[in-house]
Amino acid sequence: MASYRSGRIDIRKGDITQLDVDAIVNAANQSLLGGGGVDGAIHRAAGPKLLEACRELGGAETGEAKITDGFDLKARHVVHAVGPRWRGGDRGERELLEAAYHNSLRLARDHALGSVAFPSISTGAYGFPIDEAAEIALRTIDAFVANHDDPETVILCAFSEADREVYDATAARILS
Ligand code: AR6
């Protein structure tokens, strides 16, 4: 586990569904009705009430984020963010990924949430290159915490050791 910015940005490896935080972010799709990857894991851990709550949301555009309760999760809330599918890099993917992080953080701040954990949005099924995604995630989170008191702590939760190493190397390069 590595911390930056006086502990406000925290990088760790693990299963996001197990974190005791105010909100975990889901790497969802536009339907907001579940899927594979981290989305499937979050729905399994939260129980069927999460899907019921998601049906009320009416989907979301790429780059948007919407919030529900966390139900059976330890996390009090789930922020459902839709990252872009990587299509080679010239379809606005970077801006859309930044928007997914920024809109999630704004939603967390609007709900006065103290701690929020992100998975590596778009870098699984959606194919976004991890190096670039890590830099966008860290720059967007860093700018947000510099300008806002909430959320106080933002966790980047890597699922693999390889991703954690990319996050750490990127943080060492751009946050110091
Ligand atoms: N905890 C933390 N990270 C996880 C976990 C977990 N339990 N499980 C997987 N990851 P992906 P995307 C990591 O594919 O690329 C879904 O079907 C995973 O290793 O979940 O944004 C949605 O419904 C990877 O690093 O999301 C969409 O249709 C990261 O989470 C689509 O996939 C994101 O991988 C979204 O694709």
Side-chain angles (χ1 to χ4, degrees), residues 46-95:
K49 288 200 172 126
L50 181 61
L51 182 57
E52 278 175 42
C54 285
R55 287 193 204 286
E56 306 294 312
L57 300 175
E61 299 296 325
T62 302
E64 269 193 320
K66 295 190 176 179
I67 192 166
T68 63
D69 286 347
F71 302 102
D72 294 348
L73 292 165
K74 283 190 201 127
R76 268 69 75 197
H77 301 274
V78 178
V79 171
H80 305 265
V82 184
R85 205 182 278 275
W86 182 259
R87 291 194 169 95
D90 56 2
R91 306 280 192 89
E93 292 95 330
R94 295 173 183 84
E95 293 75 14

Side-chain angles (χ1 to χ4, degrees), residues 14-16 27-29 34-39 41 119-126 159 163:
D15 178 354
I16 202 167
N29 57 58
V38 72
D39 195 359
S120 183
I121 299 171
S122 285
T123 66
Y126 280 1
F159 199 48
D163 285 356

Side-chain angles (χ1 to χ4, degrees), residues 10 14 34 41 43 47-48 53 56 68 83 88 105 109 115-116 119 127 146 148 165 169:
D10 191 286
H43 276 271
E56 306 294 312
T68 63
L105 291 163
R109 186 203 56 186
S115 53
V116 178
H148 304 282
E165 283 173 14

Side-chain angles (χ1 to χ4, degrees), residues 1-146:
M1 195 167 107
S3 285
Y4 299 85
R5 301 293 190 246
S6 310
R8 293 192 64 195
I9 302 176
D10 191 286
I11 293 170
R12 64 175 80 167
K13 175 179 170 261
D15 178 354
I16 202 167
T17 66
Q18 300 305 307
L19 297 183
D20 185 359
V21 288
D22 289 319
I24 60 172
V25 177
N26 184 14
N29 57 58
Q30 290 181 350
S31 78
L32 302 184
L33 296 178
V38 72
D39 195 359
I42 288 172
H43 276 271
R44 278 193 298 279
K49 288 200 172 126
L50 181 61
L51 182 57
E52 278 175 42
C54 285
R55 287 193 204 286
E56 306 294 312
L57 300 175
E61 299 296 325
T62 302
E64 269 193 320
K66 295 190 176 179
I67 192 166
T68 63
D69 286 347
F71 302 102
D72 294 348
L73 292 165
K74 283 190 201 127
R76 268 69 75 197
H77 301 274
V78 178
V79 171
H80 305 265
V82 184
R85 205 182 278 275
W86 182 259
R87 291 194 169 95
D90 56 2
R91 306 280 192 89
E93 292 95 330
R94 295 173 183 84
E95 293 75 14
L96 288 166
L97 187 63
E98 181 179 338
Y101 279 94
H102 188 83
N103 288 326
S104 298
L105 291 163
R106 221 172 43 184
L107 206 47
R109 186 203 56 186
D110 290 348
H111 287 76
L113 304 183
S115 53
V116 178
F118 283 90
S120 183
I121 299 171
S122 285
T123 66
Y126 280 1
F128 206 114
I130 180 68
D131 295 55
E132 278 201 68
E135 181 160 345
I136 290 165
L138 280 160
R139 285 196 193 284
T140 307
I141 291 164
D142 189 40
F144 200 91
V145 301

